Amino acid sequence: MSDFQGLDRRGLVAGLIAACGLGAASAAAAQEAGPDAGPQPIQLLTNLFTRVGAAVFINGRGPFTFVIDTGAGTTSIAESLADALELPPLQSVLVHGITEARITRSVAVRRLQLSGLGFRDLTCPVFPREQLGADGLIGLDVLGRFRLRFDVVRRSASLTIRGVSVVTGGDMQTGSRIPREGLRAVPGRFGQMMLTQVTVDGEPTVAFIDSGAQYSIGNLALRRAVAARRRDGGRLARQVPIYGVTGQSLSADLAGIDDLRLGATRLGATPMLFADLHCFETLGLSDRPALLIGADLLGRFREVVLDFPGDTVTFSGLRRQSTRALEFSTP
């Protein structure tokens, strides 16, 4: 599909889910794997709308397809799966999506297994499967203690902590070094890594990575700041609808920018969506230029490493922009 028009609800879903009171560093998600465990393979399942899916076991049953989602503060589960597994109900929680905040029910997951790693006593918000586009989302309450590496070329990902390496897809690698250099990040309200060394058409911009979002989205403060720098006032290509995991939609502006830079890396001319998403307000970014970095920009690199313990993000091996990206930027 060469155009934003006609994409279905899951095609533009952006996965920022933050359940109040269940912060990304939730102590309830106790890790079971010991530091001496060896590398454990995880089958990389079919890529879901450019998102990375992994095989997960819930209370010893599975495997189920969960998407690795760096925009989700809390691990979530599909309603159909929660009901099929008869997971115990817990108190309802307030969930912040990209378009709105909503009260939703939650369930208790006694044990979640991601290959050689196990996590206990998780509180998981519940959503209809058609909104998640998978059996669940692996959020920052689990991911936030790891170095998370996306190998875009091999279509694989890996999690590393204290010498334990969990690989999803691609070839097994042992003893590989994850670079420590990269852009410094500041922890956000729900564990997101906030990058400040980003500029859009020369405008300093705060950015965070949402691997569950297919496309990158800037807020309207960024759109106004960029438009003020351009002779044409930031010509609008068209408006398109975007959908959040909570099921609500809003309209976004599609426009082109001339110069996008992540640190010293220049991505050049890039089509981009602009909208005042609820997640920008939730993260305190409504009044300053901000950017949600989705899979379209992550896919411009051969490798992306999010080192949550080290508070750094590394982008490596810039690739040529895809023909598809150039096509949908054309009015």
Side-chain angles (χ1 to χ4, degrees):
M1 187 177 298
S2 61
D3 194 301
F4 278 102
Q5 304 286 352
L7 284 176
D8 69 13
R9 163 179 315 277
R10 293 170 296 175
L12 272 177
V13 68
L16 188 138
I17 304 175
C20 288
L22 300 176
S26 173
Q31 180 193 334
E32 296 178 349
D36 297 328
Q40 300 293 327
I42 300 176
Q43 180 185 4
L44 180 67
L45 305 175
T46 302
N47 200 316
L48 307 171
F49 301 101
T50 74
R51 301 182 296 168
V52 177
V56 167
F57 288 81
I58 301 293
N59 297 342
R61 297 173 63 180
F64 306 108
T65 305
F66 276 57
V67 168
I68 296 175
D69 191 346
T70 63
T74 306
T75 297
S76 302
I77 192 167
E79 185 175 53
S80 57
L81 180 57
D83 292 342
L85 297 179
E86 298 181 337
L87 298 178
L90 296 175
Q91 289 185 341
S92 297
V93 293
L94 176 64
V95 172
H96 294 282
I98 64 164
T99 55
E100 65 170 3
R102 173 180 291 184
I103 300 292
T104 186
R105 70 185 181 103
S106 68
V107 294
V109 172
R110 177 175 50 82
R111 190 165 186 260
L112 182 149
Q113 290 174 272
L114 184 61
S115 190
L117 297 176
F119 302 87
R120 294 178 287 105
D121 300 327
L122 294 169
T123 298
C124 298
V126 176
F127 297 95
R129 193 186 192 285
E130 59 269 21
Q131 292 178 11
L132 295 181
D135 293 320
L137 305 177
I138 303 174
L140 294 175
D141 53 343
V142 170
L143 300 175
R145 66 201 68 201
F146 294 97
R147 293 186 183 95
L148 172 60
R149 172 180 171 268
F150 291 106
D151 186 330
V152 178
V153 176
R154 296 187 179 186
R155 295 171 59 86
S156 66
S158 64
L159 299 171
T160 302
I161 183 172
R162 297 196 309 272
V164 181
S165 178
V166 181
V167 180
T168 71
D171 299 329
M172 284 298 301
Q173 298 181 3
T174 58
S176 58
R177 184 180 70 89
I178 295 180
R180 293 185 178 276
E181 67 274 9
L183 303 184
R184 297 295 301 177
V186 177
R189 179 182 175 188
F190 296 104
Q192 291 81 10
M193 301 178 75
M194 315 303 291
L195 304 174
T196 57
Q197 298 167 270
V198 175
T199 59
V200 179
D201 279 352
E203 184 68 28
T205 302
V206 178
F208 62 94
I209 295 175
D210 185 346
S211 63
Q214 187 173 3
Y215 294 106
S216 301
I217 305 173
N219 65 358
L220 294 188
L222 176 59
R223 174 131 174 78
R224 290 190 294 269
V226 169
R229 290 172 173 262
R230 298 173 60 105
R231 292 182 178 180
D232 63 1
R235 183 172 60 89
L236 172 68
R238 58 179 171 271
Q239 290 190 323
V240 294
I242 59 176
Y243 298 88
V245 73
T246 57
Q248 298 298 309
S249 66
L250 54 79
S251 181
D253 297 337
L254 172 62
I257 60 172
D258 293 328
D259 186 27
L260 172 61
R261 302 190 186 195
L262 306 180
T265 302
R266 181 175 180 178
L267 278 70
T270 304
M272 188 174 294
L273 290 168
F274 295 91
D276 265 344
L277 306 178
H278 177 73
C279 65
F280 290 127
E281 179 181 355
T282 301
L283 296 173
L285 299 175
S286 294
D287 299 327
R288 57 189 298 191
L291 173 64
L292 178 157
I293 298 177
D296 57 336
L297 293 184
L298 298 181
R300 296 285 305 277
F301 297 90
R302 293 184 176 273
E303 180 179 283
V304 179
V305 177
L306 285 74
D307 185 345
F308 288 97
D311 292 327
T312 59
V313 178
T314 303
F315 301 93
S316 304
L318 184 63
R319 310 163 74 195
R320 292 185 60 183
Q321 189 162 331
S322 69
T323 301
R324 180 181 181 225
L326 294 173
E327 286 175 347
F328 70 63
S329 67
T330 303

